[in-house]
C-alpha cells in the first residue's frame, strides 16, 4: 500500500535553535496520527512544515496525489501547493479566528473553498454549505450569521465544516480542542471522530492533551526538544511508555 | 503661456508614465506601479487621471472632461481649465468631437471610436482590497489567478440582499486573466468596457496605472443562477425622453418630488437639440 504521506528526515531550525530535527514517518490512508509533546517541543513547527506554511531546511514530504501519484510537496510550484491546500488538504487551526473569515457569513466561509476551485452556482454552493452546517451540528438558521456571533465551540465546528467541504483526504489539526471547556471539547471530539471514520480521512493531530489522542489517534509520536523520542500504537505508548519523558508525560495527567 | 512645460508635467515624468501605460496595454487589466507625482490638486480629485491625460496629450488633441457624466461640475470644469491653461489644447463638451476624454465615474452613452482615448480617475485600483487588506497577498492572488474570494463577496451580497447588490465598481475579468476594478462606474456601464477606444485607468494616490486595449474581452463576474444585470432606474429621462441611458435622480423640492434625468449631459443635450 502506498502511504498517503511519506515524510523523510524533515528538519527546520530557527537560526541556531532547533525547530524540529530529522523527523521521518509514514501515514497510510484512513489513519490518524497524533503528535504529542510539551510546549516548544516542535509539534507546531513540524505541522506547519508539513502543511507548507513554513519552508523546512531539509527533508522531503511526499504526498500521494490523486492525479499523479506520489510527489514531493516541497518541490511543487506555489499554485499547485495552493490548489492542494484547498482540495485534498485541510488545516484546522487552534484558534478559529485564524482559520475563518470573521467578517463573512457562515455560509460564505463554508462556500469559499468551493468558489476557489471554480464553483459558480449560488444555489449549489448554498446547498453544500447548508448540508455541512448540519453535519457539524450548526442550525441552518445561522447560515447568514457571521462567525463573530458564534460561541467558541461553534466557531471551531464551523472551521471544520469549511475545511471538509471539498472532501479532503488529509487533515492537519493544530490543537483542535484548545481553549474550549471540557463538555464542548467532548462533543467536538465526538464529532471529529465520527467525521474522520465516516469519510475515511487521514489526519495528523497535534496536541498536548493526551485524552484527545487517546480518543482520536491510531498511532502516536512523542516529541521533545525537536526530536521524536517515541512512536507506536496509541494505547501501547500511553499504557506502556518506554522513554523517560513519555513516562513523565503520561504520569503528569491529572486524575479526577 | 510659457511658464509651464506642455501639459504641466516635465518630459521625463511623462516618459515614465507612458512606459507604465505601454506595459498596462501589453498586459490588460494588470496594475502597473508608477511614480505618481504631486499634482496641484488634492488626492481623490483625479490626480491619477490627470497624469495619464498629461502623458497622452498632444497639441492637436481635443479634450473633454466628465465628472459623474456631466461636463459642468466642479471637478470637470477645473480639470478642463487646468489643461486649457497648461497645454493650451482645444476643449469640447461633445463626446464625438473629443480625442481624449478624462472621466470620473461614467462612460459616455455615445459609443466611442478607435480614434479616442478614455482616461478614468481611479480612487482604489485593487478590486480585492476590501476582502484582503495585505498588498503582498493581493499581488500574490493576482499572480496566481487566485480569485475565489471575489465570488465570496458576491455570495455575501446575494445571501444578504437576495441579489448581487454591488451597483458600482463592479468587478470584471479582463481577457480571461486579471480581475480588475473598473473604477466606480455604475454597473450599467460595464458592458461598455468592451469598446473600440483605448481605455486607461490612473490611480494617483495608489500609484497604479492599468489599461483595457480596444476590443478587449471584459466579463462582469457573476453566478450561473444569478447572472450579471446592468440595472438602471426604470424611468425615461424627464428632459430628453431617452429610455436607454443611465439616469440621475434629482430631488426638485422638499415635498418629495423628484425627476430622473440623463447623467450624461452631452448625450441629453444633443438629443434635445436634435428633437428641437
Amino acid at each position: 500500500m502506498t502511504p498517503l504521506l511519506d515524510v523523510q528526515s524533515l528538519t527546520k531550525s530557527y537560526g541556531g535553535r532547533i525547530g524540529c530535527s530529522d523527523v521521518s514517518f509514514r501515514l497510510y490512508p484512513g489513519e490518524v496520527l497524533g503528535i504529542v509533546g510539551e510546549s516548544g517541543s516542535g509539534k507546531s513547527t513540524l505541522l506547519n512544515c508539513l502543511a507548507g506554511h513554513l519552508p523546512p531546511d531539509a527533508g522531503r514530504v511526499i504526498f500521494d496525489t490523486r492525479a499523479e501519484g506520489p510527489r514531493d510537496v516541497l518541490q511543487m510550484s506555489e499554485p499547485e501547493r495552493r490548489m492542494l491546500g484547498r482540495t485534498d488538504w485541510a488545516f484546522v487551526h487552534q484558534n478559529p479566528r485564524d482559520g475563518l473569515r470573521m467578517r463573512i457569513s457562515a455560509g460564505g466561509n463554508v462556500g469559499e473553498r468551493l468558489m476557489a476551485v471554480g464553483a459558480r452556482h449560488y444555489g449549489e454552493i448554498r446547498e453544500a454549505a447548508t448540508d455541512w452546517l448540519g453535519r457539524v451540528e450548526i442550525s441552518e438558521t445561522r447560515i447568514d450569521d457571521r462567525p463573530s456571533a458564534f460561541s467558541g465551540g461553534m466557531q471551531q465546528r464551523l472551521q471544520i465544516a469549511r475545511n471538509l467541504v471539498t472532501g479532503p483526504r488529509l487533515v492537519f489539526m493544530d490543537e483542535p480542542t484548545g481553549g474550549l471547556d471540557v463538555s464542548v471539547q467532548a462533543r467536538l471530539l465526538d464529532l471529529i471522530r465520527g467525521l474522520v471514520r465516516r469519510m475515511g480521512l487521514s489526519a495528523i493531530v497535534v496536541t498536548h492533551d493526551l485524552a484527545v489522542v487517546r480518543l482520536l489517534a491510531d498511532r502516536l509520536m512523542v516529541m521533545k526538544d525537536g526530536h521524536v523520542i517515541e512512536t507506536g500504537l496509541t494505547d501501547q505508548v500511553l499504557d506502556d511508555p518506554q522513554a523517560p519523558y513519555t513516562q513523565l508525560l503520561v504520569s503528569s495527567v491529572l486524575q479526577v | 503661456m510659457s511658464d509651464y512645460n506642455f501639459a504641466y508635467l516635465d518630459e521625463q515624468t511623462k516618459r515614465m508614465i507612458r512606459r507604465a501605460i505601454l506595459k498596462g496595454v501589453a498586459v490588460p487589466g494588470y496594475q502597473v506601479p508608477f511614480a505618481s507625482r504631486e499634482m496641484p490638486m488634492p488626492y481623490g480629485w483625479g490626480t491619477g487621471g490627470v497624469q495619464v491625460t498629461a502623458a497622452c496629450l498632444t497639441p492637436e488633441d481635443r479634450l473633454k472632461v466628465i465628472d459623474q457624466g456631466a461636463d459642468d461640475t466642479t471637478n470637470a470644469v477645473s480639470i478642463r481649465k487646468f489643461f486649457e491653461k497648461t497645454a493650451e489644447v482645444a476643449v469640447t463638451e461633445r463626446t464625438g468631437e473629443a480625442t481624449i476624454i478624462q472621466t470620473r465615474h461614467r462612460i459616455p452613452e455615445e459609443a466611442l471610436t478607435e480614434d479616442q482615448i478614455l482616461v478614468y480617475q481611479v480612487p482604489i485600483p485593487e478590486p480585492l482590497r476590501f476582502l484582503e487588506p495585505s498588498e503582498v497577498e493581493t499581488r500574490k492572488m493576482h499572480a496566481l489567478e487566485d480569485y475565489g474570494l471575489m465570488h465570496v463577496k458576491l455570495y455575501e451580497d446575494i445571501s444578504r440582499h437576495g441579489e448581487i447588490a454591488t451597483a458600482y465598481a463592479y468587478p470584471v475579468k479582463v481577457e480571461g486573466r486579471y480581475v480588475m476594478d473598473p473604477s466606480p462606474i455604475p454597473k450599467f456601464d460595464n458592458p461598455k468596457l468592451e469598446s473600440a477606444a483605448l481605455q486607461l485607468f490612473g490611480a494617483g494616490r495608489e500609484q497604479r496605472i492599468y489599461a483595457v486595449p480596444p476590443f478587449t474581452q471584459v466579463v462582469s463576474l457573476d453566478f450561473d443562477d444569478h447572472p450579471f444585470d446592468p440595472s438602471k432606474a426604470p424611468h425615461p429621462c424627464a428632459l430628453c425622453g431617452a429610455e436607454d441611458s443611465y439616469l440621475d435622480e434629482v430631488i426638485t423640492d422638499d415635498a418629495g418630488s423628484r425627476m430622473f434625468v440623463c447623467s450624461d449631459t452631452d448625450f441629453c443635450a444633443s438629443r434635445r437639440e436634435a428633437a428641437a
Side-chain angles (χ1 to χ4, degrees):
Chain A
M1 193 154 144
T2 326
L4 186 67
L5 195 71
D6 186 358
V7 180
Q8 298 169 1
S9 30
L10 200 70
T11 300
K12 170 80 184 172
S13 57
Y14 301 101
R17 284 174 296 121
I18 295 171
C20 61
S21 165
D22 200 23
V23 177
S24 303
F25 66 89
R26 285 178 170 182
L27 183 74
Y28 288 90
E31 194 179 31
V32 179
L33 173 71
I35 303 176
V36 295
E38 60 193 5
S39 305
S41 60
K43 310 183 299 270
S44 296
T45 299
L46 175 61
L47 196 69
N48 283 319
C49 286
L50 294 176
H53 298 173
L54 274 177
D57 299 330
R60 305 213 294 162
V61 178
I62 295 164
F63 179 71
D64 185 17
T65 58
R66 268 185 234 234
E68 298 166 55
R71 285 194 59 191
D72 190 347
V73 176
L74 305 172
Q75 303 297 325
M76 281 185 180
S77 65
E78 177 79 17
E80 282 180 303
R81 206 162 32 231
R82 279 200 177 204
M83 197 59 184
L84 201 58
R86 63 169 69 108
T87 52
D88 265 0
W89 285 10
F91 196 103
V92 177
H93 292 264
Q94 173 176 8
N95 188 342
R97 282 184 164 70
D98 298 333
L100 292 171
R101 290 190 188 276
M102 298 306 282
R103 300 173 61 180
I104 282 170
S105 71
N109 264 296
V110 178
E112 181 178 345
R113 276 169 77 109
L114 293 172
M115 290 182 252
V117 296
R120 292 291 178 265
H121 191 283
Y122 176 81
E124 287 167 15
I125 294 166
R126 185 116 177 135
E127 207 172 289
T130 312
D131 175 42
W132 267 100
L133 288 184
R135 287 205 226 179
V136 296
E137 301 165 17
I138 295 175
S139 161
E140 205 182 300
T141 54
R142 303 295 300 269
I143 190 168
D144 290 330
D145 290 352
R146 291 178 179 192
S148 48
F150 286 8
S151 69
M154 281 172 81
Q155 286 180 358
Q156 195 56 285
R157 295 205 297 275
L158 178 63
Q159 195 195 171
I160 289 168
R162 165 188 164 89
N163 271 290
L164 296 189
V165 68
T166 46
R169 292 190 295 154
L170 176 58
V171 187
F172 300 99
M173 295 192 214
D174 190 4
E175 307 267 8
T177 57
L180 299 174
D181 60 60
V182 283
S183 57
V184 177
Q185 264 191 31
R187 268 180 63 205
L188 186 69
L189 283 175
D190 218 34
L191 179 82
I192 296 176
R193 192 162 57 160
L195 288 172
V196 165
R197 292 286 175 263
R198 260 203 309 280
M199 297 176 70
L201 295 175
S202 305
I204 298 178
V205 184
V206 160
T207 182
H208 57 250
D209 189 341
L210 294 183
V212 169
V213 287
R214 172 81 88 174
L215 227 51
L216 283 180
D218 303 313
R219 272 198 307 140
L220 206 56
M221 228 164 75
V222 185
M223 289 186 73
K224 186 173 191 318
D225 301 329
H227 296 272
V228 176
I229 54 164
E230 189 165 356
T231 56
L233 297 174
T234 304
D235 290 345
Q236 183 191 344
V237 173
L238 291 183
D239 294 340
D240 183 19
Q242 299 296 313
Y245 172 72
T246 317
Q247 292 169 356
L248 178 74
L249 195 71
V250 171
S251 59
S252 304
V253 177
L254 290 175
Q255 302 293 330
V256 185
Chain B
M1 194 172 112
S2 57
D3 296 344
Y4 291 103
N5 187 37
F6 176 75
Y8 186 77
L9 291 174
D10 60 276
E11 292 303 315
Q12 283 303 321
T13 298
K14 285 196 273 187
R15 211 181 212 192
M16 173 270 293
I17 294 172
R18 284 175 198 141
R19 273 201 289 263
I21 291 172
L22 286 176
K23 183 166 178 182
V25 171
V27 193
Y30 173 71
Q31 300 167 48
V32 185
F34 79 110
S36 177
R37 298 289 190 251
E38 289 279 338
M39 297 302 285
M41 60 177 68
Y43 288 126
W45 282 60
T47 52
V50 162
Q51 289 178 75
V52 171
T53 303
C56 293
L57 269 181
T58 64
E60 295 77 40
D61 270 317
R62 188 179 294 273
L63 179 71
K64 170 182 163 80
V65 185
I66 319 171
D67 171 12
Q68 306 264 18
D71 290 278
D72 52 3
T73 47
T74 318
N75 199 238
V77 171
S78 56
I79 291 174
R80 198 161 57 225
K81 275 205 180 134
F82 176 77
F83 282 116
E84 276 185 285
K85 194 168 173 183
T86 59
E88 295 175 327
V89 289
V91 294
T92 180
E93 295 194 356
R94 295 289 168 129
T95 303
E97 290 172 9
T99 53
I100 295 185
I101 303 173
Q102 180 171 338
T103 182
R104 170 173 180 263
H105 300 193
R106 272 316 305 280
I107 298 176
E109 303 289 354
E110 192 179 323
L112 302 177
T113 67
E114 289 169 53
D115 304 324
Q116 293 177 306
I117 299 176
L118 187 59
V119 179
Y120 295 78
Q121 301 170 199
V122 182
I124 295 163
E126 179 51 71
L128 302 161
R129 176 57 66 242
F130 292 108
L131 303 163
E132 174 54 62
S134 158
E135 175 73 15
V136 173
E137 186 57 27
T138 54
R139 282 210 208 183
K140 202 181 272 179
M141 289 162 81
H142 281 296
L144 300 176
E145 230 182 317
D146 189 359
Y147 291 132
L149 203 51
M150 207 72 243
H151 272 86
V152 174
K153 178 180 184 258
L154 302 180
Y155 170 94
E156 287 292 284
D157 259 10
I158 302 174
S159 72
R160 202 164 303 155
H161 306 287
E163 58 178 12
I164 299 177
T166 304
Y168 66 94
Y170 192 103
V172 294
K173 194 164 208 177
V174 182
E175 203 64 22
R177 178 60 181 83
Y178 283 99
V179 165
M180 184 188 92
D181 182 339
S183 88
I185 57 172
K187 65 177 170 183
F188 175 81
D189 282 345
N190 269 22
K192 285 186 264 177
L193 286 163
E194 286 190 350
S195 162
L198 170 63
Q199 299 172 82
L200 304 173
F201 298 76
R205 179 181 45 208
E206 304 287 325
Q207 313 201 327
R208 293 289 184 277
I209 284 173
Y210 51 104
V212 175
F215 306 109
T216 300
Q217 182 200 44
V218 182
V219 179
S220 303
L221 300 181
D222 59 5
F223 283 104
D224 296 344
D225 47 347
H226 286 264
F228 171 72
D229 169 33
S231 59
K232 65 179 275 271
H235 295 273
C237 170
L239 300 178
C240 74
E243 306 257 359
D244 55 352
S245 71
Y246 192 73
L247 302 174
D248 283 339
E249 183 178 6
V250 182
I251 309 288
T252 48
D253 59 26
D254 53 6
S257 324
R258 61 195 59 195
M259 63 194 276
F260 289 88
V261 296
C262 288
S263 133
D264 186 337
T265 51
D266 170 57
F267 178 76
C268 196
S270 36
R271 272 177 57 88
R272 275 179 286 152
E273 259 171 44

